[in-house]
Each structure stands twice: as C-alpha cells, then as structure tokens.
Amino acid sequence: MFMKSKIFLSIVLSVMTSPAIARACSVCFSGDDDAVTHAFNWSVGFLLAAPYAIAGTIATCLVIAYRRAAARRSALDEEQTIDQLILTQEESAK
C-alpha cells in the first residue's frame, strides 16, 4: 500500500513539474509579443476597470438626480415666494 502511494505521488509530482504543463498562463505559454498575450492583458485591464466604471456610473446618476431635485426644490420655493408677494383681488379689497 505504501509503495503504491509513493509511485502515485512521484507520477503526480513529475507531471506537475513538467515544463509544458507548468507554463499555463498566457504570458508564459505564448511569449511577449503574441496576440494571445496582448488579448489576455487587455481582458485583465477591462476586468480591473469594470467595477470602477460601474461605481462611477451609479455615482454620476445619483449626483444628477440630486441636482435635479435641488433645482426643482429651489424653483418651487421661488414660485411660492413670488405667490406670497402677489396680491389677489380678495386680498386687495380688504
């Protein structure tokens, strides 16, 4: 039993340390100026930038919504102020 596990372990270690299998990433497998390497690098860049783009889009939408609400609020306050200054016929008859 011990001999079988020892043989199995040696086979697994030899396969794992094989140079063809050890070069698993695109940079190690294809070289520096290969199209696969450039595609891999661009895909990593897009994956790194995606959370920031999503968070930036959400933050921009929230800022725009806040500014629109503030503009509506100030326009409504200004309208109410003007309405208080205008005398109606009922008020002027008093």
Side-chain angles (χ1 to χ4, degrees), residues 1-91:
M1 187 72 163
F2 178 71
M3 191 62 155
K4 286 183 182 181
S5 63
K6 192 173 183 181
I7 292 172
F8 179 72
L9 183 63
S10 65
I11 290 173
V12 168
L13 286 175
S14 66
V15 168
M16 288 178 61
T17 58
S18 171
I21 296 173
R23 296 186 294 166
C25 71
S26 70
V27 176
C28 299
F29 182 70
S30 61
D32 291 336
D33 278 341
D34 191 32
V36 175
T37 303
H38 291 296
F40 180 74
N41 289 337
W42 275 101
S43 66
V44 168
F46 281 123
L47 287 173
L48 287 172
Y52 296 107
I54 292 169
T57 302
I58 291 171
T60 302
C61 289
L62 290 174
V63 166
I64 289 172
Y66 176 77
R67 287 183 181 175
R68 285 183 181 172
R72 275 191 234 121
R73 218 177 306 125
S74 68
L76 184 62
D77 289 343
E78 185 178 313
E79 186 179 303
Q80 287 176 349
T81 304
I82 292 173
D83 286 344
Q84 291 174 357
L85 296 176
I86 297 173
L87 293 175
T88 61
Q89 287 182 354
E90 296 169 358
E91 292 174 347

